[in-house]
Amino acid sequence: MIVVMKAHSNNEEIQHVLKFLQNHGLSGHLSQGVERTVIGVLGQTSNAGLPSGIGGITPGLEDSLEGLPGVDNVLRVSKPYKLASREFHPENTTVEVPAACVDGGSVTIGGKDVVMMAGPCTVETETQLMTAAEAVRKAGAVILRGGAFKPSTSPYGFRGLGEKGLQLLAKARDEFGMAVITEVMTPSDVAMVCEYADILQIGTRNMQNYMLLDEIGRTNKPVVLKRGMSATIEEWLLAAEYVLSQGNKNVILCERGIRTFEKATRNTMDISAIPVAKTLSHLPIISDPSQGTGHRHLVGPMTLASIAAGTDALLIEVHPNPDEALKDGAQSLTIQQFNELMPQAQAVAHAIGRDFITR
């Protein structure tokens, strides 16, 4: 359920509601908008011991809440996810990421303008990473992607450089001022990856790794949550709920394609998921057309389509020599292709009243 506070409720009244919920074994999550504050209620609120929104609400609880000072009304949340729901948080959430290469020293994801994240799928060598980072920065990217830990379908595939790869990413950040996004795969690695990364990435295979979601939720690091390759949008948003429920509000959704019967592409890029997610949730959403298609000649068209559909950022693989890449070379753009794509992407953004944050 959601407790909607009156427009001019004060902090004392808000704290009184939170204390009331705590006394009833519930937790309240604040969402403070421009005009009013709402409090999401989580916990066991039914006689049957079922989670809020599933069973019947304990008799008298809603009436008691509505009688508290400063409370306007109490609403039921119709979705199984609460904190990720736009019903709970009507205004768009924005996530701030430190990036020395832009004015003000940080970049906003989920605001008016679009953000470009680009770099190699996997950190292979210092030369490869630095070459890619320099090129994508010159073209307008402000966040550097690169995998230090790589999940692989085959146990014989390249699985990343580990902490050495993280150190190289940190070196590239120092050199070019870009923020760094990289994947974390296990709960035990979260603390280490947090030391090097500005954004944590949860990959498609880990979307429902609940121990990992909980651990990342206990940090305050921005996190990109990729949609599971066979996940529905509801399952995806419930995965986001795990992170949010632990206190980390800096969640960014990422559409990266889903598995269908079609074999012409590696995945089926679900562009419609972008406006659907924006309707259902307040969280920012970004697009990964590299993973979404698996073919570099499709990355450009899907990038432009994603911008037109409302994506808040792009996550694109760029490699100095894709044909020699240790992983996913077929879906990685060359530096020249990326340089050609950026003006096209900016043109589409301008056509719908947006721009790219490049400095």
Side-chain angles (χ1 to χ4, degrees):
M1 73 174 77
I2 294 174
V3 180
V4 181
M5 304 298 293
K6 293 178 180 177
H8 301 293
S9 59
N10 57 45
N11 185 62
E12 182 179 348
E13 291 168 333
I14 293 171
Q15 293 303 316
H16 183 60
V17 173
L18 293 174
K19 183 66 174 178
F20 176 88
L21 294 172
Q22 183 180 353
N23 290 340
H24 284 76
L26 307 171
S27 62
H29 291 253
L30 282 178
S31 175
Q32 294 178 305
V34 175
E35 296 184 357
R36 63 177 61 202
T37 296
V38 299
I39 302 174
V41 182
L42 299 181
Q44 305 292 328
T45 62
S46 71
N47 286 334
L50 297 175
S52 175
I54 297 177
I57 302 300
T58 301
L61 182 60
E62 287 183 73
D63 291 340
S64 297
L65 282 167
E66 288 185 339
L68 295 179
V71 174
D72 190 1
N73 55 70
V74 177
L75 304 174
R76 302 283 187 94
V77 178
S78 60
K79 304 293 189 297
Y81 43 89
K82 311 302 178 187
L83 302 179
S85 170
R86 194 170 283 279
E87 292 176 279
F88 165 66
H89 194 296
E91 298 176 6
N92 292 336
T93 287
T94 58
V95 176
E96 296 292 325
V97 180
C101 65
V102 299
D103 296 338
S106 68
V107 60
T108 301
I109 300 174
K112 180 179 181 293
D113 295 328
V114 187
V115 175
M116 179 60 75
M117 310 178 186
C121 170
T122 305
V123 178
E124 300 169 0
T125 67
E126 181 174 346
T127 299
Q128 169 248 14
L129 179 63
M130 293 300 179
T131 301
E134 181 178 18
V136 299
R137 176 67 199 112
K138 285 183 177 178
V142 294
I143 298 177
L144 175 65
R145 74 173 291 170
F149 297 93
K150 295 301 298 182
S152 183
T153 303
S154 168
Y156 308 113
F158 181 62
R159 300 172 72 175
L161 297 178
E163 188 170 9
K164 180 181 178 182
L166 295 174
Q167 293 168 349
L168 291 176
L169 287 166
K171 184 174 181 178
R173 175 178 55 210
D174 293 341
E175 180 73 19
F176 303 109
M178 304 169 73
V180 166
I181 175 173
T182 193
E183 183 168 354
V184 57
M185 293 176 56
T186 65
S188 60
D189 286 335
V190 169
M192 177 179 66
V193 177
C194 281
E195 293 180 15
Y196 297 97
D198 301 293
I199 306 175
L200 305 177
Q201 176 182 302
I202 299 174
T204 184
R205 294 170 176 82
N206 274 319
M207 188 204 81
Q208 291 179 311
N209 182 339
Y210 300 122
M211 293 181 67
L212 178 61
L213 297 175
D214 280 342
E215 187 66 26
I216 290 176
R218 287 188 279 268
T219 76
N220 200 37
K221 281 279 186 182
V223 53
V224 164
L225 176 64
K226 287 197 168 186
R227 183 181 180 183
M229 64 182 73
S230 300
T232 65
I233 291 175
E234 182 174 288
E235 290 168 339
W236 185 22
L237 292 174
L238 281 168
E241 191 83 0
Y242 270 84
V243 180
L244 293 167
S245 67
Q246 293 296 325
N248 189 345
K249 299 181 180 179
N250 298 309
V251 179
I252 304 163
L253 303 171
C254 179
E255 168 56 40
R256 50 78 65 204
I258 53 176
R259 178 174 289 174
T260 68
F261 55 79
E262 181 55 66
K263 294 185 178 180
T265 54
R266 180 177 180 180
N267 297 290
T268 297
M269 188 74 183
D270 187 4
I271 298 294
S272 68
I274 297 170
V276 170
K278 280 182 170 285
T279 300
L280 297 175
S281 177
H282 56 90
L283 298 174
I285 181 168
I286 72 174
S287 170
D288 183 345
S290 299
Q291 291 286 336
T293 64
H295 299 285
R296 72 173 68 105
H297 71 278
L298 297 176
V299 172
M302 290 297 99
T303 294
L304 305 183
S306 296
I307 297 168
T311 190
D312 294 307
L314 282 307
L315 189 61
I316 295 179
E317 295 178 10
V318 181
H319 195 286
N321 191 346
D323 292 337
E324 296 182 2
L326 296 180
K327 196 169 183 64
D328 291 344
Q331 64 195 35
S332 299
L333 297 184
T334 65
I335 290 172
Q336 180 180 345
Q337 287 172 325
F338 184 73
N339 289 338
E340 293 170 353
L341 175 60
M342 277 300 295
Q344 298 173 23
Q346 289 171 323
V348 174
H350 291 159
I352 60 172
R354 304 180 79 181
D355 203 348
F356 268 85
I357 299 173
T358 58
R359 61 180 181 177

